[in-house]
Amino acid sequence: MSGFRKKLTVLFITAAMCVSSSHVFAAESGNKVNAATAASEQTAGRTQSFTIDKAIEYAKEHSRSMAALTAAEATAKAQKEENRRSFKDTRESVFKADAGNGDSTFLVTTGYVYRSYIFQYAVAQRSRLQKEYTLESEVRNAFYSYLNTEDKVELAKSALKSANERVTYAQMKYNNGTISANDLENFKLSALKAQNDLNAAVRGKDLSMIQLKSTLNYPQEDELIVTGSFTRRPMDTTTVEEALKKSENSISRVNAEESLELAKLKRDRSVTHYTSGSLGAKSAKAEYAQAELDYYNTVEQLRIGIYSAYNNMADAYEGLEYCDKSLEITEKNVAAAKQRYDLGLITSDDYLSAVQQLDSLKNQISSAELSAYLATVQYKLQYDCQNTISQEEDPLL
């Protein structure tokens, strides 16, 4: 019986091991299936399709610049609130001690330091607001620049198709003995150039996608599908005079004005605290003089920036109009060159030169349309981002 029991025990152990192994194998298989499913889901989630509105929304949610400015705004708010408590406590303690005229405390007790923190908080809020506005412009620029590269790829494909059709036609004429071998090689060389142009356009599109993803803070390794189209946009009709008027409420202008007011507050209160010829009074006057200079420079830079951006925009649209008229003439010239070539009046070099000029002009127009749009965006940036943040008013001051 002992031998039988031993054999039975061995069988039980073997069976248990088999069951355990089957559970392990099943678990491993399940894990592999789950992992494969998760990987498949993860891979599927790596492809997104963006319209311009969704691209702007995504960029705002994932912008590191916006995150940094939001954090700076929160810090400035905390500093303002902390300094408010400090201002109140210091003023009360100084007044109780009847020692409010000390150099180390008068700017605190007069409210200048607290006022400066209120100003810094407003500046931080405006910086976030301005970045949100400029981020939208950056996304639009990158988004439409990519769509423009797609258009150039299609133009290059069309040019290559036409070049290949001309090669086929030339091959037939060569076989019939109506053109020379050199003429045929010219047509083939033209097709090779068209292929190279297409390759360059595809590389340009790939680079533009990298730049778009970078602007959006979109993972470079993930696929991004861009939906939409770029069409020619009209020129901004805002006059320079209107833009200058609007720029008076721009964030940079308001910041400069309030910085000047703050420097004036420090100068006035320093002069009443110190004697007029003291170092403290002279230092406050010097700070105010520097603030005046900064304000003047800001106003003049805004003025120059508006005029410069308007001129660039006007130049871009005038250039685009010139390209349009050139296209009309070039298309007629190519049609005439084709007829003259078929009649043997001009060489294949002359004909193909006219064709390549037409293809080049179509690309120039595509680039000019984008440049005109970007110039319009740059012009609006000079005046269109209006300040909506006012400094807080506090009863303590």
Side-chain angles (χ1 to χ4, degrees), residues 201-328:
V202 171
R203 288 191 292 268
K205 186 183 79 166
D206 293 341
L207 175 59
S208 186
M209 173 56 73
I210 292 174
Q211 293 170 331
L212 174 60
K213 287 180 178 179
S214 178
T215 302
L216 299 177
N217 281 292
Y218 188 88
Q220 292 289 347
E221 65 275 10
D222 293 355
E223 184 180 2
L224 175 60
I225 299 174
V226 174
T227 60
S229 61
F230 175 76
T231 56
R232 184 180 299 192
R233 307 301 171 86
M235 179 175 167
D236 188 350
T237 57
T238 304
T239 65
V240 171
E241 291 73 20
E242 291 170 340
L244 287 171
K245 185 64 178 177
K246 289 183 177 181
S247 72
E248 293 177 3
N249 191 43
S250 66
I251 287 176
S252 56
R253 175 74 175 262
V254 172
N255 282 344
E257 288 175 351
E258 293 184 357
S259 180
L260 181 63
E261 291 173 3
L262 192 64
K264 183 177 183 299
L265 175 65
K266 183 177 182 179
R267 182 201 62 182
D268 294 344
R269 296 189 177 180
S270 295
V271 168
T272 59
H273 175 74
Y274 299 105
T275 57
S276 60
S278 67
L279 176 60
K282 290 181 179 179
S283 176
K285 291 176 181 178
E287 287 185 30
Y288 180 72
Q290 181 62 48
E292 279 189 314
L293 176 60
D294 293 341
Y295 173 72
Y296 172 81
N297 288 338
T298 298
V299 172
E300 290 304 301
Q301 287 169 6
L302 277 171
R303 178 184 299 275
I304 294 171
I306 287 173
Y307 272 98
S308 177
Y310 180 85
N311 290 347
N312 290 338
M313 180 180 66
D315 292 344
Y317 277 90
E318 288 172 357
L320 184 57
E321 183 181 1
Y322 175 83
C323 286
D324 287 339
K325 294 180 179 179
S326 296
L327 180 63
E328 294 178 8

Side-chain angles (χ1 to χ4, degrees), residues 85-369:
R85 291 189 292 269
S86 177
F87 164 55
K88 184 178 180 180
D89 294 343
T90 301
R91 187 178 62 175
E92 291 177 354
S93 63
V94 166
F95 286 165
K96 288 179 181 178
D98 194 21
N101 293 323
D103 290 347
S104 62
T105 57
F106 92 94
L107 288 177
V108 175
T109 57
T110 57
Y112 167 78
V113 174
Y114 177 40
R115 174 59 69 185
S116 69
Y117 277 98
I118 292 177
F119 169 66
Q120 290 174 29
Y121 177 47
V123 169
Q125 289 176 291
R126 292 166 187 159
S127 296
R128 178 188 53 77
L129 178 69
Q130 188 169 38
K131 182 58 185 178
E132 184 174 358
Y133 180 87
T134 57
L135 181 60
E136 287 190 18
S137 297
E138 292 166 4
V139 172
R140 291 183 189 278
N141 290 355
F143 191 90
Y144 290 128
S145 293
Y146 174 76
L147 289 176
N148 184 254
T149 61
E150 285 191 328
D151 292 341
K152 288 186 175 180
V153 169
E154 293 305 314
L155 285 173
K157 286 180 179 178
S158 177
L160 177 59
K161 181 180 178 182
S162 298
N164 287 332
E165 289 173 351
R166 287 191 294 271
V167 170
T168 301
Y169 179 66
Q171 184 69 54
M172 292 173 58
K173 297 185 70 174
Y174 173 73
N175 294 339
N176 294 332
T178 56
I179 66 171
S180 67
N182 187 57
D183 284 337
L184 178 60
E185 288 304 314
N186 282 338
F187 280 99
K188 290 182 178 180
L189 187 61
S190 177
L192 177 60
K193 182 181 182 304
Q195 180 63 63
N196 291 342
D197 290 343
L198 174 58
N199 296 341
V202 171
R203 288 191 292 268
K205 186 183 79 166
D206 293 341
L207 175 59
S208 186
M209 173 56 73
I210 292 174
Q211 293 170 331
L212 174 60
K213 287 180 178 179
S214 178
T215 302
L216 299 177
N217 281 292
Y218 188 88
Q220 292 289 347
E221 65 275 10
D222 293 355
E223 184 180 2
L224 175 60
I225 299 174
V226 174
T227 60
S229 61
F230 175 76
T231 56
R232 184 180 299 192
R233 307 301 171 86
M235 179 175 167
D236 188 350
T237 57
T238 304
T239 65
V240 171
E241 291 73 20
E242 291 170 340
L244 287 171
K245 185 64 178 177
K246 289 183 177 181
S247 72
E248 293 177 3
N249 191 43
S250 66
I251 287 176
S252 56
R253 175 74 175 262
V254 172
N255 282 344
E257 288 175 351
E258 293 184 357
S259 180
L260 181 63
E261 291 173 3
L262 192 64
K264 183 177 183 299
L265 175 65
K266 183 177 182 179
R267 182 201 62 182
D268 294 344
R269 296 189 177 180
S270 295
V271 168
T272 59
H273 175 74
Y274 299 105
T275 57
S276 60
S278 67
L279 176 60
K282 290 181 179 179
S283 176
K285 291 176 181 178
E287 287 185 30
Y288 180 72
Q290 181 62 48
E292 279 189 314
L293 176 60
D294 293 341
Y295 173 72
Y296 172 81
N297 288 338
T298 298
V299 172
E300 290 304 301
Q301 287 169 6
L302 277 171
R303 178 184 299 275
I304 294 171
I306 287 173
Y307 272 98
S308 177
Y310 180 85
N311 290 347
N312 290 338
M313 180 180 66
D315 292 344
Y317 277 90
E318 288 172 357
L320 184 57
E321 183 181 1
Y322 175 83
C323 286
D324 287 339
K325 294 180 179 179
S326 296
L327 180 63
E328 294 178 8
I329 296 174
T330 304
E331 286 177 335
K332 294 178 182 178
N333 290 340
V334 170
K338 175 67 167 57
Q339 291 180 346
R340 289 196 297 271
Y341 174 72
D342 289 339
L343 294 173
L345 300 177
I346 61 174
T347 65
S348 60
D349 283 340
D350 295 330
Y351 169 53
L352 292 174
S353 176
V355 170
Q356 290 171 1
Q357 182 181 0
L358 177 60
D359 291 337
S360 176
L361 187 55
K362 288 179 180 178
N363 271 287
Q364 288 179 28
I365 291 176
S366 178
S367 297
E369 287 176 335

